[in-house]
Amino acid sequence: MDLYLDMAVQFSRGCPFECDFCDITLMLGRRVRAKTPGQFLAELQALYDLGWRRNVFVVDDNFIGDRQRARQLLLALVPWMRERGFPFDFMTQTSLNLAKEPELMALMVQAGFNRVFLGVETTDRRSLASVGKRQNLAVDLDQACGAIAGAGLMVMAACILGFDNEEAGAGQRFVDFARRNHIPDVFATLLHAVPGTALYARLSREGRVGPMEWEKTMGSQTSLCNFTPTRPQAALVKEIIGLFETLYEHRAYIERLADHLAGMPPLPAAQSRRRPHPREVMAVASVVLKTGLLKPQRWRFWRQVFRGLSRFPSRMRQFWAGCLLAEHNQEYLESIRGGLLRRLAEEGRQPPRMKQLLHD
Ligand code: SF4
């Protein structure tokens, strides 16, 4: 267990929404099924008994797919966590309508949730409408992210490029959105049509789905669209690389991280007292060594650390975790850039029929 960053548990399956590219509803359906609070707490107790005391990822694709059941679980989870001195930090994935649920957000924070991964996907309303992401159209994206962070849940955002009729600059518009909302972590991919989804069926009817060798890399951040997009693949690759380069740049990332944490309420006192695991101490030591002593930007880094101690002292654990990610992002950026460019070049070597499918 020492080698893991987090442990995974699942509360519910299925999601009531109808985003046409989504394979979750394809595999798990739109009717949400959930464990009982008792079942879920028994699984947490097993982790607790094994000695786990760190992050727990609640891997539901939409934790609030059934808000009533999520609420029932949280009402049971809050006292369970309190009685054990808040042994876990939870993160999960939810739809953006969470922003309209102040009671649920408050309960999540009380239960020890401190991060949520949100399917923002794009800031272009026309693209959201074209893929049936109605829950995102029903909110103002900036206000929704602000409300969720303001409630005490750190926002991680998913971004997709390559929707039909997307206008040039979608990547930059997402960068602007992340900057405005001080969102440090953005998980961006090019759109993939997964067999069985409504998107795949439509693209197949339109004769736009390519051969399935592309399946091998589908879902990875280094894969191209596995269909003929309405924009040239090369333009999409250029935009997504630009997005990664801007958002993962060390200084910009740490600044967004610090501003995001400063905009959040202090962590409830009982939750900030958890003793760090030796692995976490080692991770912080490695950040201090690499960024704080060896890198040219070390002075800027220390300024952010000291500012953090006065701006968000209770959230320094999240700050250190973000700094570690910032280190990792530098290497990851290289592998994404290399992978995408390699695939684009490979695609240039495809037989003429395939070339025909691609706009350039
Ligand atoms: S909200 Fe998320 S899980 Fe639900 S259908 Fe849309 S993409 Fe899939």
Side-chain angles (χ1 to χ4, degrees), residues 15 17-19 21-22 24-25 61-62 95 121 133 135:
C15 173
F17 293 115
E18 293 176 284
C19 311
F21 55 86
C22 181
I24 301 305
T25 42
D61 294 294
N62 187 358
S95 45
E121 326 300 13
K133 196 123 195 159
Q135 67 277 26

Side-chain angles (χ1 to χ4, degrees), residues 98-128:
L98 175 67
K100 293 181 178 170
E101 303 288 339
E103 191 207 353
L104 266 188
M105 290 192 287
L107 281 171
M108 286 173 77
V109 171
Q110 285 168 38
F113 282 79
N114 59 29
R115 264 188 313 158
V116 284
F117 184 56
L118 301 171
V120 179
E121 326 300 13
T122 173
T123 57
D124 296 359
R125 295 182 70 80
R126 214 158 60 129
S127 296
L128 289 170

Side-chain angles (χ1 to χ4, degrees), residues 202-322:
R202 177 171 65 77
L203 293 171
S204 299
R205 279 196 306 275
E206 294 171 4
R208 294 167 57 195
V209 179
M212 282 294 107
E213 306 103 69
W214 280 338
E215 244 181 3
K216 283 185 275 188
T217 57
M218 201 147 65
S220 137
Q221 283 181 289
T222 58
S223 51
L224 307 182
C225 296
N226 63 333
F227 60 93
T228 313
T230 53
R231 299 176 62 198
Q233 294 263 25
L236 291 171
V237 167
K238 190 168 169 227
E239 278 200 16
I240 201 165
I241 289 179
L243 177 147
F244 284 125
E245 286 175 343
T246 315
L247 292 181
Y248 286 9
E249 193 267 318
H250 194 271
R251 175 184 184 164
Y253 179 91
I254 297 281
E255 281 179 4
R256 285 198 314 283
L257 172 70
D259 289 341
H260 196 72
L261 293 173
M264 293 170 71
L267 202 63
Q271 293 180 26
S272 59
R273 283 199 290 266
R274 176 170 70 73
R275 277 226 319 271
H277 185 274
R279 288 254 168 199
E280 291 173 315
V281 176
M282 277 162 63
V284 171
S286 107
V287 170
V288 168
L289 180 69
K290 282 188 192 157
T291 313
L293 296 177
L294 301 177
K295 288 215 167 137
Q297 63 264 42
R298 56 187 175 276
W299 301 117
R300 239 180 10 235
F301 168 77
W302 284 114
R303 200 167 57 236
Q304 287 291 9
V305 172
F306 287 115
R307 285 186 71 203
L309 285 167
S310 64
R311 290 168 88 199
F312 45 84
S314 64
R315 295 197 175 270
M316 285 307 282
R317 195 159 71 221
Q318 282 171 290
F319 179 74
W320 290 117

Side-chain angles (χ1 to χ4, degrees), residues 105 109 143-155 260 263-266 315:
M105 290 192 287
V109 171
Q143 279 175 13
C145 290
I148 292 170
L153 296 162
M154 192 171 177
V155 170
H260 196 72
M264 293 170 71
R315 295 197 175 270

Side-chain angles (χ1 to χ4, degrees), residues 133-184:
K133 196 123 195 159
R134 59 189 157 84
Q135 67 277 26
N136 288 23
L137 288 167
V139 293
D140 175 291
L141 297 178
D142 291 73
Q143 279 175 13
C145 290
I148 292 170
L153 296 162
M154 192 171 177
V155 170
M156 299 166 67
C159 163
I160 299 176
L161 297 185
F163 291 113
D164 271 6
N165 303 316
E166 182 176 271
E167 285 177 24
Q172 183 57 44
R173 288 191 287 282
F174 207 93
V175 167
D176 296 340
F177 165 78
R179 281 180 174 152
R180 269 198 312 276
N181 293 287
H182 316 297
I183 297 175

